[in-house]
Amino acid sequence: MSTLCLPEQQTPLLTHIEPLLAAAENYQLGEAVELGASRSAVVDIVIEGQAISLAFGDTKLEGTGYQVRDLWVAPYPSLAEMQQQVANQPQLVVLGLPTATGFADIWHHNGEARANHCHQMGDREPAQAMLLASLALDYPLEDAVTLARAYARSVVYQDGLLAWPLERQCFPRPLTANHSEAEVLGWSSKEVAVKPFAKTDPAKLKLYPVVDTAEWVEKVLELGVKTTQLRIKDPSEPTLPQQVERIIAAGREHQAQVFVNDYWQLAIASQAYGVHLGQEDLETADLAAIQQAGLCLGLSTHGYYEILRAAEFAPSYIALGHIYPTTTKQMPSKPQGLSRLALYQQLIGDMFPTVAIGGIDLSRAESVWQTGVSSVAVVRAVTQAEDPQAAVDAFNRILVRPTEQ
Ligand SMILES: Cc1ncc(COP(=O)(O)OP(=O)(O)O)c(N)n1
Ligand SMILES: Cc1nc(C(=O)O)sc1CCOP(=O)(O)O
Ligand SMILES: [Mg+2]
């Protein structure tokens, strides 16, 4: 249970907040949110005992939270100026800044500014309402800002229908180097622009065991698996280059799609089938070199913004994690759950293959598969199975579409 308390002047937002919370309940997107009145001029949200405040316009933020600027009177600051300001002010959230070709929403992330951009922005109140509703539903700030814009736009597209935004056309585009307007708009990014990555074979991308030795890669390929990944987290592991060579040879022998986690230079040098990278790698890895070498690229995502950001790079697949709690890896984010997964899958549609990961076992595979994902990645469900062959066979029986039966 969380609470969302509005000051008097923000109560008109309830016109949007109430149906949005009802839609979220309907889709089972989060815990129930109790609405109340704030005794101060700021909006107060409390989730699991943690309080954040949001101050709009001239209201001053005191304490933890966000100062939201969303009312613009010419002359506007430039996008480059706001990028700098937000990078220096972690609490500043900028909504609907007019730019040369549209509108930008900007927020702070790890010492930098991030932004979405769109040509039509919708109205201010729906955006404010969704920002608050989605924060109260425990979406991270970047997803709340992304949903705020998607909702404000969807109210326009759907002719005033107050519903949870689902369609890609409502969502803004993250400003990355791959955004054709980033340069014209004066947005500077650390990533480089890249062409689309090689495509995977969807028929092979179903059960996707992620394992930590070349021996395990060879073993799962022997068991009939057609997509797998070598994930060795210790970069000083002395046998790393040999293990990568081994898995590439084994992948070729079995005509399988074998990915290397993290070590993209090694993967290029050894002409691996593909590389899997995380969000933080997008700014440091040489994506152009990976693309030019013809390798497939899988990208991790953990929410709306990361999905849209990943899509900008046209990867070979988008991984959606973590769906359920996992003990395999310490996760900074919360488990997404099936309902959020289903909406992410609907948003991505057939634009890119998708891979669900995190806490998936045989008992959960069927419901994950029913969301429409292209693949299910597992660690423990195969490597800790009493009988890995039986586990692989059981997954293979589940991961079938009706047209293939
Ligand atoms: C299929 C698949 N999905 C997600 C991940 C996680 O990648 P990343 O976020 O880079 O984290 P590490 O695996 O490097 O800890 C993955 N490896 N594979
Ligand atoms: C490697 C990894 N990445 C995740 C993500 O969400 O990005 S979850 C995960 C571990 C998945 O392990 P298991 O199947 O044992 O829960
Ligand atoms: Mg990684």
Side-chain angles (χ1 to χ4, degrees):
M1 165 75 81
S2 62
T3 57
L4 167 56
C5 295
L6 300 175
E8 177 72 34
Q9 72 268 26
Q10 247 105 24
T11 50
L13 297 183
L14 288 170
T15 316
H16 293 280
I17 291 176
E18 280 171 348
L20 281 173
L21 293 179
E25 196 181 338
N26 193 28
Y27 285 118
Q28 300 181 316
L29 299 179
E31 298 283 308
V33 177
E34 194 176 79
L35 295 170
S38 165
R39 272 184 250 118
S40 69
V42 298
V43 177
D44 290 315
I45 297 175
V46 180
I47 306 170
E48 289 168 15
Q50 295 273 87
I52 48 167
S53 302
L54 286 99
F56 289 84
D58 292 335
T59 308
K60 276 266 162 302
L61 175 73
E62 274 157 29
T64 316
Y66 304 111
Q67 182 77 50
V68 185
R69 277 189 73 186
D70 63 349
L71 191 57
W72 303 99
V73 184
Y76 318 115
S78 70
L79 186 61
E81 260 174 87
M82 283 315 304
Q83 179 171 18
Q84 199 56 50
Q85 270 196 42
V86 174
N88 294 331
Q89 294 181 51
Q91 292 186 315
L92 183 58
V93 175
V94 169
L95 296 183
L97 174 73
T99 68
T101 61
F103 303 89
D105 302 316
I106 316 169
W107 67 97
H108 185 99
H109 176 89
N110 287 347
E112 290 174 7
R114 285 188 161 177
N116 288 328
H117 192 262
C118 55
H119 293 146
Q120 281 99 29
M121 68 167 201
D123 288 338
R124 197 168 152 238
E125 288 74 21
Q128 287 186 345
M130 179 54 116
L131 181 73
L132 300 178
S134 48
L135 284 173
L137 287 162
D138 209 9
Y139 280 95
L141 177 68
E142 60 190 16
D143 286 357
V145 173
T146 302
L147 280 167
R149 187 57 56 213
Y151 175 65
R153 284 157 60 83
S154 74
V155 171
V156 177
Y157 287 135
Q158 296 174 160
D159 214 9
L161 188 72
L162 311 183
W164 197 263
L166 302 173
E167 305 300 330
R168 179 92 201 284
Q169 57 155 3
C170 300
F171 282 78
R173 279 183 65 188
L175 276 177
T176 68
N178 248 30
H179 191 299
S180 56
E181 289 165 25
E183 213 179 309
V184 172
L185 294 172
W187 183 261
S188 51
S189 28
K190 287 188 182 158
E191 322 97 6
V192 290
V194 275
K195 297 206 175 90
F197 285 84
K199 295 211 181 318
T200 54
D201 177 349
K204 293 182 179 174
L205 195 67
K206 288 188 173 170
L207 174 62
Y208 182 169
V210 174
V211 298
D212 63 1
T213 60
E215 205 178 334
W216 259 112
V217 168
E218 291 166 346
K219 187 166 170 173
V220 296
L221 294 177
E222 289 294 335
L223 299 180
V225 160
K226 287 296 176 197
T227 299
T228 184
Q229 178 191 127
L230 177 66
R231 177 176 179 269
I232 297 176
K233 286 311 289 180
D234 178 5
S236 62
E237 165 60 52
T239 62
L240 195 57
Q242 291 85 342
Q243 296 207 52
V244 169
E245 290 297 338
R246 262 175 76 178
I247 63 159
I248 291 169
R252 291 205 180 113
E253 189 190 327
H254 289 87
Q255 295 170 1
Q257 310 185 131
V258 179
F259 286 81
V260 176
N261 186 47
D262 293 342
Y263 309 109
W264 56 272
Q265 293 102 325
L266 201 50
I268 294 175
S270 332
Q271 293 184 290
Y273 174 83
V275 189
H276 183 94
L277 295 178
Q279 288 281 319
E280 60 289 352
D281 302 315
L282 284 172
E283 289 165 15
T284 52
D286 188 344
L287 297 185
I290 299 169
Q291 192 275 334
Q292 279 155 22
L295 271 61
C296 283
L297 175 71
L299 288 179
S300 293
T301 70
H302 305 91
Y304 281 107
Y305 171 74
E306 290 189 0
I307 290 169
L308 296 171
R309 181 177 186 228
E312 288 292 319
F313 297 94
S316 312
Y317 69 77
I318 293 182
L320 305 165
H322 56 304
I323 310 307
Y324 297 102
T326 178
T327 53
T328 301
K329 174 181 169 182
Q330 280 237 320
M331 298 300 303
S333 51
K334 298 197 173 142
Q336 303 285 340
L338 264 191
S339 311
R340 289 190 186 193
L341 173 66
L343 296 199
Y344 298 146
Q345 175 59 38
Q346 189 172 338
L347 175 66
I348 299 167
D350 53 14
M351 217 175 18
F352 300 103
T354 51
V355 178
I357 185 166
I360 304 172
D361 58 16
L362 273 170
S363 70
R364 290 165 165 166
E366 176 68 37
S367 41
V368 169
W369 189 240
Q370 289 313 323
T371 63
V373 294
S374 324
S375 172
V376 169
V378 298
V379 179
R380 289 164 301 154
V382 165
T383 59
Q384 291 181 16
E386 238 169 67
D387 181 349
Q389 177 74 74
V392 167
D393 292 345
F395 273 113
N396 285 340
R397 281 193 294 275
I398 296 169
L399 308 184
V400 179
R401 295 286 169 220
T403 49
E404 299 165 337
Q405 279 165 346

